[in-house]
Amino acid sequence: MSRIAVTFDTLRQNNRKALIPFITAGDPEPAMTVLLMHELVNAGADIIELGVPFSDPMADGPTIQSSYERALKYHVSLKDVLEMVAEFRRTNTVTPVVLMGYANPVEAMGYQKFVIKAKECGVDGVLTVDCPPEECEEWIENLKQEKIDTIFLISPTTPQIRIQQMAKRVQGFVYYVALKGVTGAAHIDLSEVANKLAGLRSYISIPIGVGFGIHDGATARAVAEFADAVVVGSRIIAEIEKSAEEEVLVNVYRLVKSLRSAIDKVGIKHRIARIKR
Amino acid sequence: MARAYDFPDMHGHFGTYGGVFVAETLITALEELRTQYEHYRSDANFQAEYAYELKTYVGRPSPIYHAKKWSAYLGGAQILLKREDLNHTGAHKINNTIGQALLAKSMGKPRIIAETGAGQHGVASATVAARYGMECVVYMGSEDMKRQATNVYRMKLLGATVVPVDSGSRTLKDALNEAMRDWVTNVENTFYIIGTVAGPHPYPMMVRDFQTIIGREAKLQMQEEYGRQPDTLIACMGGGSNAIGLFYPYLDDKNVSMIGVEAAGLGIETGKHAATLLTGKPGVLHGNRTYLIQDEDGQIIETHSISAGLDYPGVGPEHAWLKDTNRAQYVGITDNEALAAFHMVCRYEGIIPALESSHALAYAAKLAPTLDKDKLLLVNLSGRGDKDIDTVAQATGITF
Ligand SMILES: Cc1ncc(COP(=O)(O)O)c(C=O)c1O
């Protein structure tokens, strides 16, 4: 079983929901990334989403966009990001790492070469924002052969028929985009997302994560009531951005820890009941 | 009659180029646009309205003008100019914005957004928004807003909101990113009018179709007025919409050669240019696969051209295909060469050309003297240069 599958299995057995923080590789500077990844795990992250910096992040809001710009000041490349994952793997062989980014850095490296390197470095999943399944069938197949999951996005605008088609090919977990907009946008309509997810469940049997627009413990908890995983990006990036260098690790730890406890309030009754039994 | 050239395929691919590389949220909107456009493309009423607007509002057909004095001075082939500069709003851009605005109207979208570099597409979008009573928001790099201040004011006069874009290089590519972000957010009531043959399918095809009025008219006019077709077509290349508009109807005419002129800026060797097809590598940006000016990590590099309308690190995917298949040739013209041609055409012909178009003129000026006097070069004079006189004055060291 893949690391992603094992992670979700364990969580399900324990009546817990996954917390998936997003950070940008190389932000605030390259030397911090692996430290931050470990800190995320210490604070309770189940899966890490690692952003691959790109000069033209069309689907991201200003917060993540500026984190890419900070990383690109150091010329952080896809190759560098893969090496960061490899370094993280030296001391952590259990926490899944999903790379999130845009198609062009992968194009520049070459799809084949990327698949081989990603496998070598211990990448578990790949989410390419601007590469819908129709445009990269062959690549998805190559990734699959190396047991790397392609994480698909489903959005509020994805029609039923497309969801049904996608359901046949989803891997790892499905990432539901909670709103029409870019990352970091403010409004997420909880009851609408809850309804949508209920609908998705009739086609999709693998775990469903929800992201975009989750920026505090209360929202994270509310989402965890109906989702299998909660993805938090811009809020964490904003914390990194406003922290002094020596405070970054502590502040991110504190923030992620608070999200963790918020999410863990979901399912607590079941957990207590189980222990009593 | 069936055409030999038949691109893109149903998924928007020109060979390995083009396609739909966008976030999931936009997939459905693009699918809707594709089906609606397929419908209206062959709808007689829609086409009649489009033709009527081009005639009565834009002032088409635009004439072909024989630049006799300039040709004589150059001492070679005859240079003919397709006068897109005479269109309402002063450039070819309006051929496309009228088409897309009519489509937006038919689709019931009350709000249009656009990106702009030189401001010509922004002005053309603001114009049609006023004409059809739609809300209009234009995204423009803050750097470009400085370079093209009068066009910013023009858009405002026409009732549009101009939003400065401060990310990245603060030019056209960043404006495009920002417009895409707006569209993702407001996809239900908003129609995104892309200004060139870039973006995800169906944009490169749709913008091309609307711009082919240039080449279709030219074909008729050439036959009527010169009894034959030109030997060579020449057009400048930003994203490539004025070029493909002229080229496309000629693609099956094997004895007509075509040359796209890219901005070589301060010189290809300086790295400060926007010559995408000459120096770039295939990659994915703004919804399609095409040649891009990028570094070895796949990051997009800032470009340079004296003309904001050519200052773009990508190029329409169809041109990538025409280059690879050798159907069209692509060359570079520097800022200085373009400026020299600008001045020549002002003085010899009494026409102030856009700096974008001046690149095409400059290449014609290079090519003409090498050819016989009976050869015909048809240059797309894509726009007028009124918007550029500050830039030209500055380049010549003049302050008002
Ligand atoms: C007059 C003029 N010509 C050419 C261009 C370049 O665009 P395209 O290559 O799409 O024709 C522009 C763009 O703003 C323009 O204003």
Side-chain angles (χ1 to χ4, degrees), chain A residues 236-250:
Chain A
I236 295 170
I237 302 291
E239 193 67 26
I240 292 173
E241 187 175 10
K242 72 183 179 209
S243 298
E245 197 183 48
E246 65 278 13
E247 306 271 301
V248 169
L249 290 173
V250 200

Side-chain angles (χ1 to χ4, degrees), chain B residues 79-91:
Chain B
I79 299 179
L80 311 177
L81 306 177
K82 178 66 173 159
R83 298 290 307 273
E84 292 301 300
D85 61 316
L86 296 178
N87 292 341
H88 179 41
T89 70

Side-chain angles (χ1 to χ4, degrees), chain A residues 170-201:
Chain A
V170 293
Q171 307 162 34
F173 64 96
V174 164
Y175 188 137
Y176 181 72
V177 177
L179 44 81
K180 294 189 272 297
V182 292
T183 52
H187 315 285
I188 154 165
D189 183 336
L190 286 166
S191 64
E192 193 185 307
V193 178
N195 282 336
K196 206 68 196 198
L197 249 66
L200 287 183
R201 302 252 188 225

Side-chain angles (χ1 to χ4, degrees), chain B residues 91-93 118 120 196 236-242 309-310 354 356-357 382-383:
Chain B
H92 68 296
K93 297 283 177 187
Q120 287 307 98
T196 189
C236 69
M237 295 279 302
S241 69
N242 86 87
L310 304 187
E356 289 80 10
S357 324
S382 57

Side-chain angles (χ1 to χ4, degrees), chain B residues 94-157:
Chain B
I94 194 135
N95 302 330
N96 169 47
T97 53
I98 290 217
Q100 290 197 52
L102 288 177
L103 193 57
K105 195 158 70 93
S106 307
M107 288 170 68
K109 308 266 180 187
R111 178 175 181 267
I112 62 173
I113 57 172
E115 85 293 336
T116 196
Q120 287 307 98
H121 175 59
V123 168
S125 298
T127 299
V128 295
R131 164 79 184 81
Y132 302 118
M134 296 159 154
E135 185 194 342
C136 178
V137 176
V138 180
Y139 291 92
M140 190 169 187
S142 51
E143 195 53 41
D144 287 339
M145 285 178 76
K146 271 188 260 163
R147 288 198 274 189
Q148 305 284 341
T150 50
N151 265 347
V152 174
Y153 185 56
R154 243 175 228 131
M155 289 183 260
K156 288 181 179 165
L157 286 174

Side-chain angles (χ1 to χ4, degrees), chain A residues 53-61 65 69 72 75-78 80 103-109 111 129-136 153-159 162 166 177 179-182, chain B residues 11 13 18-29 166-168 173-174 176-178 180-182 184-188 281-287 289 292 294-301:
Chain A
F54 181 48
S55 53
D56 294 77
M58 236 164 50
D60 284 294
Q65 198 185 349
E69 284 178 9
L72 287 175
H75 301 284
V76 173
S77 66
L78 178 56
D80 298 331
N104 202 51
V106 185
E107 287 255 335
M109 175 178 276
Y111 288 95
V129 182
D130 57 348
C131 199
E134 293 84 348
E135 293 289 0
C136 48
L153 293 171
I154 290 185
S155 89
T157 58
T158 308
R162 189 172 161 82
M166 284 168 108
V177 177
L179 44 81
K180 294 189 272 297
V182 292
Chain B
H11 303 294
H13 294 130
V20 182
F21 290 86
V22 296
E24 178 61 28
T25 312
L26 288 178
I27 293 281
T28 302
D166 278 320
S167 55
K173 82 172 172 78
D174 310 284
L176 221 149
N177 289 333
E178 211 53 42
M180 280 281 181
R181 293 185 184 114
D182 179 315
V184 170
T185 310
N186 303 297
V187 56
E188 248 115 48
K281 266 192 336 184
V284 171
L285 181 72
H286 294 152
R289 181 180 282 121
L292 299 172
Q294 54 181 321
D295 67 16
E296 56 185 23
D297 298 333
Q299 309 297 348
I300 308 306
I301 300 175

Side-chain angles (χ1 to χ4, degrees), chain B residues 116-381:
Chain B
T116 196
Q120 287 307 98
H121 175 59
V123 168
S125 298
T127 299
V128 295
R131 164 79 184 81
Y132 302 118
M134 296 159 154
E135 185 194 342
C136 178
V137 176
V138 180
Y139 291 92
M140 190 169 187
S142 51
E143 195 53 41
D144 287 339
M145 285 178 76
K146 271 188 260 163
R147 288 198 274 189
Q148 305 284 341
T150 50
N151 265 347
V152 174
Y153 185 56
R154 243 175 228 131
M155 289 183 260
K156 288 181 179 165
L157 286 174
L158 292 160
T161 308
V162 183
V163 181
V165 178
D166 278 320
S167 55
S169 57
R170 297 167 186 173
T171 58
L172 180 56
K173 82 172 172 78
D174 310 284
L176 221 149
N177 289 333
E178 211 53 42
M180 280 281 181
R181 293 185 184 114
D182 179 315
W183 199 32
V184 170
T185 310
N186 303 297
V187 56
E188 248 115 48
N189 73 342
T190 298
F191 190 105
Y192 179 15
I193 301 190
I194 295 186
T196 189
V197 282
H201 182 62
Y203 282 101
M205 174 182 81
M206 181 170 71
V207 176
R208 173 195 74 194
D209 291 351
F210 289 133
Q211 291 294 2
T212 55
I213 185 68
I214 303 172
R216 284 188 280 123
E217 276 177 13
K219 260 190 146 166
L220 293 176
Q221 291 165 323
M222 287 301 300
Q223 203 51 52
E224 220 164 79
E225 294 160 31
Y226 297 85
R228 72 178 189 95
Q229 296 302 327
D231 298 289
T232 301
L233 310 172
I234 303 176
C236 69
M237 295 279 302
S241 69
N242 86 87
I244 203 75
L246 177 63
F247 295 176
Y248 184 77
Y250 284 99
L251 283 174
D252 285 342
D253 301 8
K254 291 292 174 249
N255 40 14
V256 178
S257 63
M258 25 195 93
I259 299 171
V261 185
E262 299 197 307
L266 303 181
I268 299 285
E269 68 290 348
T270 66
K272 295 196 182 323
H273 58 77
T276 310
L277 287 168
L278 292 180
T279 68
K281 266 192 336 184
V284 171
L285 181 72
H286 294 152
N288 68 89
R289 181 180 282 121
T290 186
Y291 279 78
L292 299 172
I293 298 182
Q294 54 181 321
D295 67 16
E296 56 185 23
D297 298 333
Q299 309 297 348
I300 308 306
I301 300 175
E302 277 181 40
T303 51
H304 165 85
S305 169
I306 192 168
S307 69
L310 304 187
D311 209 349
Y312 179 62
V315 63
E318 189 158 17
H319 286 291
W321 177 241
L322 293 177
K323 175 196 156 85
D324 281 12
T325 54
N326 248 327
R327 178 62 189 96
Q329 267 61 54
Y330 296 89
V331 298
I333 281 291
T334 64
D335 288 356
N336 284 338
E337 290 171 321
L339 278 168
F342 173 96
H343 288 297
M344 272 197 286
V345 174
C346 286
R347 299 299 283 267
Y348 279 96
E349 297 296 342
I351 294 171
I352 301 179
L355 279 176
E356 289 80 10
S357 324
S358 297
H359 286 71
L361 294 166
Y363 191 74
K366 267 191 180 174
L367 185 61
T370 69
L371 300 171
D372 290 342
K373 289 193 168 63
D374 62 352
K375 293 285 183 204
L376 300 180
L377 306 183
L378 179 58
V379 181
N380 198 355
L381 183 50

